[in-house]
Amino acid sequence: MFLMATSAIGPGFITQTTTFTAQLGAAFAFAILVSILVDIAIQMNVWRVVGVSGLRAHELANKVAPGAGWLLTALVVVGGLVFNIGNVAGAGLGLNAMLGLEPAIGGALSALLAIGIFTVRWAGMALDRIVVLLGILMIGLTAYVAVVSGPPVGEALRQTVLPDEISWLAITTLIGGTVGGYITYAGAHRMLDSGLSGPENAGRVAVSSVQGILITGVMRVLLFLAVLGVVTAGVDLTGSDNPAAAAFAAAAGEIGLRLFGVILWAAAITSVIGAAYTSVSFLTSRSTPERTTRLLTVGFIVLSTAVFLVAGAAPVTLLIFAGAFNGLILPIGFTILLWVAWRRRDLLGGYHYPRWLLAAGFLGWLVTLFVGYQFVAENIGKLFA
């Protein structure tokens, strides 16, 4: 549950939320609401299908159509790698804001820490506990800044249902950054590795999937309110190289900047862990030797870090594009899982899939197609204008 939530809450998540809040103001609340509803419909189905079948998403895809699993693997790993470059960069920027370390040094040290988590014998236990503690830390600190910034809560509530402006780019990016690409499968694959699977655990799987999305939604709302308070006070964030840092500094001064460093680093390091774990889970199976899995995970983190160090930074545009890209590839994997739920009962051990859940997933799938079309048709040029 927390692995999925903290995988979603990364530097891209923070950058996207801050950038769109600065652009749309309180109207961004509508995009958040739509993304949360779609996220719940998608994650409940993904977790249910993966959990009941006991198979990872790419394994299911290959059983539905030979080769489909490898296509899904390629898309997920590429999207995860792009995001992970930003995650390592975010870790470096977080330590820079928190302790004054050079971003390159901070990013490299954070990558070494992530590698250490995956190479120790008790990695599984450490992984679960670390993401829970850092997730709670991020939410608590962001809640403090949200209170200090004094956002117009009433106006935000009104625009949640009656927005002055609707941005399809924002909705596509939020969906992609929350359940797109590797994030869709992070919690579900970790759930399988923890031993929770089979039709008898369908109820527990359903509860965990919703809780994970709600944790992500709470963080999104708190960050939105924190930035909204700053924007409403008249601070211009649109020209800043690091709009989130500027927002936290405007809200709480030097303390706010240091808190931002802690939040950004926690978000980044948990996302490095989530991206590496999930991407490698698509390159392996549960029967793959543990040593091979560890080597692939270390290699994935090293490659991400090397690209970051050579490039020197992960631009804001890249982080937003990564979210949008993952949102566009989301319907591919989700289509396969919905087909399994609808037509491949044999892969679910004879489990009778709830029709209401399938209907909710179908509606969520239609929304992902619609917003993806809107993004491509109307907004792709604006992103790089």
Side-chain angles (χ1 to χ4, degrees), residues 5-100:
T6 54
S7 292
I9 305 169
F13 176 102
I14 293 173
T15 301
Q16 294 157 9
T17 303
T18 305
T19 301
F20 287 123
T21 302
Q23 293 175 358
L24 302 173
F28 185 48
F30 176 76
I32 294 176
L33 174 63
V34 172
S35 70
I36 289 175
L37 293 176
V38 174
D39 293 350
I40 290 175
I42 291 173
Q43 283 290 5
M44 286 188 69
N45 279 280
V46 169
W47 281 53
R48 183 77 64 110
V49 173
V50 171
V52 171
S53 70
L55 297 171
R56 294 178 179 178
H58 61 293
E59 294 170 333
L60 278 170
N62 276 330
K63 288 183 177 295
V64 171
W70 296 116
L71 172 62
L72 182 60
T73 295
L75 292 172
V76 168
V77 172
V78 169
L81 182 63
V82 173
F83 249 131
N84 217 38
I85 296 167
N87 293 337
V88 175
L93 291 174
L95 287 180
N96 175 261
M98 185 175 19
L99 302 174

Side-chain angles (χ1 to χ4, degrees), residues 11 14 21 32 94 98 101 126 144 189 206 222-223 227 245 252 268 281 292 296 299 305 308 310 327 359 378:
I14 293 173
T21 302
I32 294 176
M98 185 175 19
L101 285 177
Y144 166 75
H189 283 192
L222 290 174
L223 182 58
V227 178
S281 75
T292 301
L296 287 172
T305 306
F308 159 65
V310 171
E378 300 178 15

